[in-house]
Amino acid sequence: MCARAGDVSLAGAVGRLPSPLVETVDDRLAARGVRLLLKRDDLIHPDIPGNKWRKLGPNLARARQLGQHTVLTFGGAYSNHVRALAAAGSLLGLRTVGVIRGEEHRPLNPVLRFAADAGMRLTYLDRASYRAVRAGTGAAVLAGLTAEFGPFHLLPEGGSNTLGVRGCAGLPAELDQDFDVLCCSCGTGGTLAGLAAGLAPGRRALGVTVLRGAAFLDADVARLQQAAFGVNSGNWTLTHDFHAGGYARTTPELTRFLADFHDRHGLALDAVYEGKLLHGLFSLVAAGAFAPGETLVAVVNALADGPPARVAG
Ligand SMILES: *Cc1c(COP(=O)(O)O)cnc(C)c1O
């Protein structure tokens, strides 16, 4: 079977593309003359949502072209990318291996339980070895993994390689309403790199980082764009002010924002990524960071599993 390069349809999985673009009407935005549209990429596929679909599509097409039957990737114990690859592998009949940072914990958390149930083989790497692979100096580690699992097609953390970034660059063409700023949350920065590259002239992209101390992301996004497109599009910026203490951390303010957003709009934003994105955008709007008359598009890659937690008082 031969898929087109850049194809986002995963055999056996029907994704909803283009995903819907819906306005969020909110008096806090209206007071500043700013409009907000949500790009509901969470609705693309229940188990392969958002940027994970956009990145995995071209990567798994490439794996098939190369005749590879096993795809191996890396991630933390709560990695949405690992979970999505497990689901895609089971739909496509590809074997998958998830290399998880840190030690094994039993019982498996819901993300790894899902992955294992989907047929993914899981293995664990100590943090030093994990860092070595990430830094490109993990040849011995990869050789060990090949000895254990056989030959594999390697996907980096978050699926953020050249094909993944290019997959994300297709999103702006789906936006059929006028807008000024395309906004997303950033883990590896691969999504921002692609989105910004796909923008028409005169528009800009804004990334909200969810990691603490992620100043390196500015260089990473530039490097990913250089590798995928040969040029830095220069139309994007990152804000590092809304990580709420670090990856998967929260603050009472963020928790309150999520509960309030759910009350107002009926959407349970995920607290790790899109909750920080929307909290950041509402904070920036309140601070007058956008000109009256501007329209923002925020990409929602996933929602929370359940209703938001509440802070007493
Ligand atoms: C993976 C993920 C991100 C981060 O995407 P990057 O391309 O790694 O920056 C954002 N939101 C959600 C819901 C994700 O699963």
Side-chain angles (χ1 to χ4, degrees):
M1 167 161 295
C2 186
R4 278 177 295 128
D7 199 340
V8 291
S9 68
L10 301 169
V14 181
R16 180 175 179 189
L17 282 171
S19 61
L21 182 64
V22 290
E23 180 160 9
T24 295
V25 177
D26 189 300
D27 51 12
R28 295 167 293 181
L29 305 172
R32 293 285 176 167
V34 174
R35 288 181 72 210
L36 173 65
L37 309 173
L38 299 184
K39 177 65 169 163
R40 293 291 307 276
D41 262 16
D42 57 294
L43 297 174
I44 292 176
H45 189 277
D47 292 321
I48 317 167
N51 54 5
K52 302 307 183 283
W53 174 282
R54 294 183 188 275
K55 292 175 183 183
L56 283 172
N59 271 299
L60 298 185
R62 171 63 57 83
R64 295 184 131 197
Q65 278 168 354
L66 295 173
Q68 295 272 15
H69 300 295
T70 301
V71 179
L72 177 145
T73 200
F74 296 84
Y78 288 89
S79 167
N80 290 340
H81 165 67
V82 166
R83 188 187 193 282
L85 175 64
S90 119
L91 287 164
L92 283 169
L94 281 168
R95 284 190 220 133
T96 57
V97 179
V99 182
I100 309 304
R101 181 179 62 235
E103 283 168 13
E104 177 173 15
H105 294 283
R106 290 277 172 173
L108 294 175
N109 73 41
V111 170
L112 297 183
R113 180 77 264 155
F114 175 94
D117 289 347
M120 178 176 260
R121 287 173 290 168
L122 297 172
T123 186
Y124 298 82
L125 261 195
D126 65 88
R127 278 154 207 274
S129 304
Y130 196 92
R131 264 199 305 278
V133 173
R134 194 191 258 159
T137 57
V141 176
L142 293 178
L145 290 168
T146 306
E148 190 173 350
F149 296 105
F152 53 75
H153 189 69
L154 176 69
L155 287 187
E157 255 185 329
S160 287
N161 57 8
T162 290
L163 287 175
V165 167
R166 288 188 195 148
C168 293
L171 183 151
E174 295 176 14
L175 301 172
D176 57 1
Q177 297 196 49
D178 201 21
F179 68 96
D180 301 283
V181 193
L182 180 55
C183 313
C184 68
S185 59
C186 295
T188 64
T191 302
L192 176 65
L195 296 184
L199 285 176
R203 288 170 172 162
R204 60 192 196 275
L206 172 64
V208 174
T209 59
V210 305
L211 308 167
R212 191 160 61 125
F216 59 86
L217 263 185
D218 292 80
D220 282 1
V221 174
R223 188 178 46 73
L224 287 164
Q225 284 203 328
Q226 194 71 44
F229 310 107
V231 60
N232 179 341
S233 61
N235 59 353
W236 54 271
T237 51
L238 279 168
T239 172
H240 298 283
D241 296 338
F242 302 103
H243 57 68
Y247 185 78
R249 300 280 177 95
T250 188
T251 59
E253 184 183 333
L254 175 60
T255 304
R256 264 193 300 275
F257 173 84
L258 294 177
D260 177 63
F261 194 89
H262 184 254
D263 288 347
R264 291 177 189 243
H265 304 296
L267 275 188
L269 297 168
D270 90 286
V272 177
Y273 289 104
E274 316 320 2
K276 291 180 184 181
L277 167 66
L278 271 294
H279 176 244
L281 293 181
F282 274 77
S283 302
L284 289 171
V285 167
F290 302 101
E294 285 202 303
T295 298
L296 318 179
V297 174
V299 179
V300 175
N301 289 296
L303 293 180
D305 289 336
R310 288 181 177 274
V311 186

